[in-house]
Amino acid sequence: MTIGLAERVIALKPSASIGAKQKVLELQATGKTVIDLTIGEPDLDTPAHIVSAATSAAEGGDTHYTVPMGTPALRKAIIEKLRRDNTLDYALNEVIVGVGAKQLIYEAFAATLNKGDEVIVPAPYWVSYPDIATIHDGRPIIVPCPEGNGFKLTPEALRTAISPRTKWLVLNSPNNPTGAVYSREDLSALAEVLRGSPHVSVMTDEIYEHLTYEGKALSLGEVAPDLKDRLLIINGVSKAYAMTGWRIGYAAGPAALIAAMNKLIGQSTSCASSVSQAAAAAALSGDQACVAEATKTFRKRRDRMFELLDGTPGMDIRKPEGAFYFYPSVAGLIGKCTPDGKVLTSDLDVSLYLLDGAHVAVLDGGAYGMSPYLRMSFGGAMEDIEAGCRAIRKACEALV
């Protein structure tokens, strides 16, 4: 007897980034050496004072269920963080904790989307936005944001994309995969368009907020406080504090939406780990020197990757302003022939060539909604970055 699967699951595409990581692990398990530049997490260890807070919580018996929306201690820490870093004021019932930021994006769409509602997703985009919207009967409206515009959504493109069915605009800054960061002027211009469309809510994914290299990343709420009642901020401790495995994200938004998300969490995961929540509270409330140090480390890696890849034949590379990814164009490689006679017809072909020929794993731009590009992470160790970049350059030089 076969258990039939739901149509929405059959249509759902696996996560490209998770799939790439699995492929790397499979190759490594066979004994092959693969340099992994697909990694979407810091290779750094969680700072000691955060681990210590978790240990103390566990040893002190803080190992039970919490309320679905998160412990008061963590939500108070989030409120203080938003006030300290973003000059934003939120109440306890306007903040919620999830099992990672991804869960909160999922629950927000589950709580708000009806069949046919539209979600504007600027491309390039993080791979899960369109799929999570589709799961909940939403219709992703993909808006190309070309490199000539800094990979950023323009007011004109936003105005054109909005329709009477638009429910959400998803805005990710600093951006995965491009590293683009929206300036105050960029956000102000988008806010002016949004003021003319009061039926559109805005989800701002700020998970890479602290990983910026040319100034501070701003939240839309800082620039346009009048839009607060239709703004949902998504953030978490994964990237800035090297806590991906702790699985803690948080969101801040209108109380009615937060209450709806709370109901959904109560019927799904029940709550995030109590021990992880104690660790996250320590991360947000404690000494922030670890964040500055991590940013310094990633800036060095960014600059080194640029130094090694700049001038690579067929590759046009620019320095990202934030996050820890490069998103170079490989238009100059399309049509080239590999040493074994295969013609590269897409960025996917290029990524597979680099995997097979250079033993370097990268992600194709098609997975992020814009080709022909590659996403390369500098979240890993400097030695891997250097070895990977040299192998990529050599492989590109071998094309004819």
Side-chain angles (χ1 to χ4, degrees), residues 97-329:
V97 176
V99 184
K102 185 185 288 188
Q103 181 188 18
L104 297 168
I105 296 170
Y106 191 98
E107 306 297 8
F109 283 167
T112 59
L113 291 178
N114 293 307
K115 189 173 181 61
D117 284 345
E118 295 175 353
V119 178
I120 296 174
V121 181
Y125 48 72
W126 178 54
V127 295
S128 292
Y129 298 139
D131 293 327
I132 295 175
T134 301
I135 288 171
H136 296 105
D137 291 329
R139 181 179 171 226
I141 304 298
I142 308 302
V143 181
C145 301
E147 187 173 357
N149 291 336
F151 295 120
K152 292 186 279 190
L153 181 67
T154 64
E156 296 76 17
L158 174 59
R159 187 176 293 110
T160 300
I162 292 174
S163 82
R165 295 304 305 268
T166 304
K167 179 64 72 73
W168 287 101
L169 161 66
V170 178
L171 206 58
N172 175 212
S173 174
N175 178 262
N176 172 11
T178 68
V181 178
Y182 284 76
S183 68
R184 181 176 294 275
E185 292 72 24
D186 294 330
L187 294 173
S188 294
L190 295 176
E192 191 58 35
V193 176
L194 291 165
R195 290 186 183 103
S197 298
H199 65 291
V200 179
S201 298
V202 188
M203 178 185 290
T204 61
D205 183 346
E206 303 174 13
I207 194 73
Y208 293 96
E209 171 191 11
H210 292 299
L211 301 181
T212 58
Y213 313 109
E214 318 297 340
K216 180 181 183 293
L218 294 169
S219 176
L220 179 62
E222 296 177 74
V223 177
D226 58 303
L227 299 181
K228 181 183 175 184
D229 64 346
R230 49 192 172 112
L231 174 67
L232 181 69
I233 296 172
I234 302 289
N235 209 326
V237 296
S238 295
K239 312 298 183 179
Y241 300 94
M243 293 178 68
T244 52
W246 298 80
R247 305 311 305 132
I248 295 293
Y250 60 86
L257 174 57
I258 297 300
M261 294 167 66
N262 184 55
K263 285 197 295 184
L264 290 168
I265 290 175
Q267 295 291 358
S268 57
T269 54
S270 295
C271 63
S273 158
S274 58
V275 173
S276 292
Q277 290 189 63
L284 295 175
S285 300
D287 187 350
Q288 300 300 298
C290 60
V291 178
E293 189 61 31
T295 301
K296 181 180 177 181
T297 297
F298 290 125
R299 181 183 287 108
K300 288 180 180 177
R301 294 176 182 181
R302 178 198 69 161
D303 293 347
R304 183 60 173 150
M305 180 175 272
F306 181 81
E307 179 185 9
L308 291 170
L309 289 179
D310 188 32
T312 298
M315 187 177 290
D316 184 13
I317 192 163
R318 56 187 285 164
K319 277 188 179 181
E321 299 172 86
F324 39 67
Y325 310 104
F326 276 87
Y327 200 66
S329 168

Side-chain angles (χ1 to χ4, degrees), residues 64-92:
H64 303 280
Y65 291 127
T66 76
V67 295
M69 65 195 312
T71 64
L74 177 52
R75 284 184 287 140
K76 287 176 182 176
I78 293 164
I79 289 169
E80 178 53 34
K81 179 266 173 228
L82 292 168
R83 185 178 296 122
R84 177 189 71 218
D85 295 344
N86 311 108
T87 64
L88 295 171
D89 287 317
Y90 283 90
L92 272 178

